[in-house]
């Protein structure tokens, strides 16, 4: 998909209903239901979405079937209530929604993929038998939201003159610069809570935040990961990247004296990557997006493995001490 930046989430926004002016719920739900088919009208569905945006309209409810089948209120496919980031943003106060969408909070996968590697490091730095530092996890979480939002603002600022997907309400460099200044000021406040070494690293990373949206115009390698260049060889390249990733994470486990739960999680990550690559259809943008967003699962699995592996260390340490004490007594 040349020209589409999945990391920043620059894809087409939901269309608006011609009857109510609200975002078309059927179109917004295409990610999990497929294209709008016959009978999925945009009128009543949009009105319902505008009133209750946190409810996913059951498939078939606009077909005149009179509601759910015999399964009860969960609908014909048993979906029931569904909460998503897009629904939360849609239910926010209307004046706030453009700012939330500018930061791509309705598509939080970029924030997740920026944040999760930070959680790995924080988890690996914890003392044996201890949970990760919740204060550090909170700081890096806030920083991930702010810096991903700043990156999206910079992207829209660079692309506003020729990218039709940039919201017309944000046209104008001065307005975007003003918003960017506030985002970076808040991010600086988070950064100043860390030590001097971390402050220096964070300040240096700002150069990448600014230049990355420009690099995608002049190179196929803006993050050494996009599949734009690989085309029909995509699966082979992804396989190589996956092997390198698993090898590096295995080395991390050895160097940090990780235990069985960590390696179990690493094996699960390997299985997930194999499934991703095997089932990938590079000619279907929806499938590429689904595989991309599933990387959050990889991050969460590995973080859980790190936490459990660290807690396991305490048990091993206690057993080692008991063995040493027994040898001394004998």
């Amino acid at each position: 998909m040349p020209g589409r930046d999945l990391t920043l989430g620059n894809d087409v926004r939901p269309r608006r209903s011609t009857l109510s002016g609200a975002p078309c719920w059927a179109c917004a739900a295409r990610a999990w239901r497929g294209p709008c088919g016959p009978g999925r009208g945009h009128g009543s569905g949009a009105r319902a979405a505008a009133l209750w945006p946190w409810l996913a309209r059951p498939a078939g409810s606009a077909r005149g079937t009179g509601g759910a089948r015999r399964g009860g209120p969960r609908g014909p496919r048993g979906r029931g209530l569904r909460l998503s980031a897009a629904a939360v943003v849609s239910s926010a106060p209307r004046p706030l929604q453009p700012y939330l969408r500018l930061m791509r909070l309705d598509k939080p996968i970029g924030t997740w993929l920026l944040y999760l590697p930070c959680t790995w490091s924080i988890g690996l730095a914890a003392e044996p038998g201890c949970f990760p530092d919740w204060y550090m996890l909170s700081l890096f979480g806030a920083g991930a939201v702010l810096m991903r939002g700043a990156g999206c603002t910079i992207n829209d600022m660079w692309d506003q003159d020729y990218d039709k997907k940039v919201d017309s309400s944000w046209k104008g460099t001065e307005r975007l610069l003003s918003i960017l200044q506030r985002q970076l000021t808040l991010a600086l406040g988070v950064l100043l809570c860390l030590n001097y070494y971390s402050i220096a690293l964070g300040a240096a990373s700002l150069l990448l935040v600014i230049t990355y949206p420009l690099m995608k115009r002049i190179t196929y390698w803006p993050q050494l990961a996009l599949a734009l260049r690989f085309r029909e060889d995509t699966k082979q390249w992804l396989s190589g990247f996956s092997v390198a990733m698993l090898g590096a994470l295995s080395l991390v486990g050895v160097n940090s004296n990780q235990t069985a739960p960590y390696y179990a999680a690493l094996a699960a990550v390997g299985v997930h990557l194999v499934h991703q690559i095997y089932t990938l259809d590079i000619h279907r943008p929806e499938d590429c997006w689904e595989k991309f967003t599933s990387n959050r699962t990889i991050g969460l699995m590995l973080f859980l493995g790190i936490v459990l592996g660290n807690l396991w260390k305490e048990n091993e340490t206690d057993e080692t001490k008991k063995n040493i004490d027994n040898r001394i007594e004998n």
Side-chain angles (χ1 to χ4, degrees), residues 1-14 30-31 104 107 109 148 155 159 162-163 165 212-213 215-217 219-220 222-223 225-229 281-293:
M1 298 180 297
R4 181 177 182 184
D5 183 6
L6 294 179
T7 302
L8 295 177
N10 288 340
D11 56 343
V12 180
R13 294 175 173 81
R30 293 175 71 175
R104 310 298 196 273
K107 302 166 188 171
I109 182 59
R148 198 262 178 146
N155 180 80
D159 291 353
Y162 66 89
D163 191 346
K165 299 174 184 176
Y212 165 68
M215 291 298 100
K216 65 182 182 180
R217 302 181 184 182
T219 177
Y220 285 110
Q223 40 177 195
L226 293 180
L228 299 180
R229 179 69 174 177
D281 184 353
I282 63 171
H283 302 292
R284 290 182 58 240
E286 311 85 37
D287 187 63
C288 293
W289 176 254
E290 181 182 348
K291 298 299 191 298
F292 177 70
T293 56

Side-chain angles (χ1 to χ4, degrees), residues 108-127:
I109 182 59
T111 303
W112 276 111
L113 298 185
L114 182 61
Y115 175 58
L116 285 170
C118 301
T119 67
W120 303 347
S121 298
I122 296 171
L124 289 168
E127 293 292 330

Side-chain angles (χ1 to χ4, degrees), residues 33-142:
R33 285 209 193 98
C36 298
R40 296 190 181 182
H42 294 181
S44 60
R47 292 192 185 95
L51 292 174
W52 305 289
W54 57 88
L55 294 178
R57 178 172 60 85
S61 61
R63 299 180 184 177
T65 58
R69 297 178 185 171
R70 288 183 180 179
R74 291 181 58 82
R77 297 185 184 177
R79 291 193 178 275
L81 295 178
R82 187 182 182 96
L83 186 66
S84 66
V88 172
V89 170
S90 297
S91 63
R94 190 171 297 274
L96 189 61
Q97 290 183 23
Y99 295 94
L100 300 180
R101 291 194 172 94
L102 177 67
M103 297 176 66
R104 310 298 196 273
L105 291 184
D106 56 332
K107 302 166 188 171
I109 182 59
T111 303
W112 276 111
L113 298 185
L114 182 61
Y115 175 58
L116 285 170
C118 301
T119 67
W120 303 347
S121 298
I122 296 171
L124 289 168
E127 293 292 330
C130 298
F131 285 99
D133 189 328
W134 293 106
Y135 177 67
M136 297 298 293
L137 289 173
S138 301
L139 280 181
F140 277 84

Side-chain angles (χ1 to χ4, degrees), residues 19-43:
L19 297 179
S20 66
C24 173
W25 191 251
C27 292
R30 293 175 71 175
W32 68 80
R33 285 209 193 98
C36 298
R40 296 190 181 182
H42 294 181

Side-chain angles (χ1 to χ4, degrees), residues 114-241:
L114 182 61
Y115 175 58
L116 285 170
C118 301
T119 67
W120 303 347
S121 298
I122 296 171
L124 289 168
E127 293 292 330
C130 298
F131 285 99
D133 189 328
W134 293 106
Y135 177 67
M136 297 298 293
L137 289 173
S138 301
L139 280 181
F140 277 84
V145 172
L146 291 169
M147 290 309 297
R148 198 262 178 146
C152 293
T153 302
I154 292 172
N155 180 80
D156 285 1
M157 187 168 61
W158 293 145
D159 291 353
Q160 61 179 318
D161 291 333
Y162 66 89
D163 191 346
K164 295 181 180 179
K165 299 174 184 176
V166 175
D167 191 341
S168 60
S169 62
W170 295 118
K171 296 292 185 179
T173 302
E174 293 184 2
R175 190 176 183 189
L176 288 172
L177 275 175
S178 176
I179 296 172
L180 178 62
Q181 180 182 8
R182 298 172 192 175
Q183 291 172 325
L184 293 179
T185 300
L186 292 174
L188 177 62
V190 173
L191 189 62
L192 293 177
C193 296
L194 305 175
N195 57 35
Y196 290 119
Y197 180 69
S198 299
I199 292 174
L201 288 178
S205 69
L206 185 61
L207 180 63
L208 296 176
V209 175
I210 295 174
T211 57
Y212 165 68
L214 292 175
M215 291 298 100
K216 65 182 182 180
R217 302 181 184 182
I218 61 177
T219 177
Y220 285 110
W221 303 83
Q223 40 177 195
L224 298 179
L226 293 180
L228 299 180
R229 179 69 174 177
F230 308 143
R231 299 188 184 279
E232 298 303 324
D233 296 327
T234 294
K235 291 192 175 185
Q236 291 88 326
W237 279 91
L238 290 179
S239 299
F241 289 144

Side-chain angles (χ1 to χ4, degrees), residues 302-322:
L302 191 59
F303 176 63
L304 181 61
I306 291 172
V307 173
L308 295 179
N310 207 43
L311 295 176
W312 191 286
K313 288 181 183 179
E314 183 181 30
N315 295 331
E316 288 192 344
T317 303
D318 291 341
E319 291 178 1
T320 302
K321 289 181 179 179
K322 289 179 181 179

